[in-house]
Amino acid sequence: MSERQQGPYDSIARRWLALVELRQAHFIELCDTGRWRHYYTHAEFLDEMNKVLRVRDQWATIAGLPLEDEELRPDGDGEPPRPRELSAGIPAVPWPD
């Protein structure tokens, strides 16, 4: 198979992807500091984080970048799922206990 050709809108898609990753980093910061409790219920926060991850994967596909391997899944102990690492290399922050 041949490699994917650079499209005329790839740079735009990468900029949108960068914005989504900033939003994802913001959610990770909310989680790390516990401030998410001021704005969301537990279920709402999980829903918003899942939306951010889905949109990130969609923009990565449009931009021609690989998707994240690990899926967002609950840990099974009633805690929110742990976020994946951002493609920019920002490590996922552990959820507060």
Side-chain angles (χ1 to χ4, degrees), residues 27-76:
F27 272 89
I28 291 171
E29 180 186 342
L30 284 175
C31 176
D32 186 36
T33 62
R35 287 188 352 238
W36 65 271
R37 292 179 180 98
H38 296 284
Y39 309 108
Y40 302 100
T41 65
H42 187 267
E44 289 172 339
F45 186 73
L46 290 177
D47 186 46
E48 288 298 317
M49 182 58 92
N50 282 323
K51 285 179 191 176
V52 167
L53 293 174
R54 267 194 319 272
V55 170
R56 189 262 172 228
D57 287 345
Q58 289 171 346
W59 279 110
T61 300
I62 292 169
L65 299 174
L67 298 177
E68 299 284 334
D69 292 335
E70 183 181 334
E71 290 294 322
L72 182 70
R73 292 189 187 101
D75 292 338

Side-chain angles (χ1 to χ4, degrees), residues 42 46 73-82 95-97:
H42 187 267
L46 290 177
R73 292 189 187 101
D75 292 338
D77 57 359
E79 289 296 314
R82 303 205 180 271
W95 294 82
D97 293 325

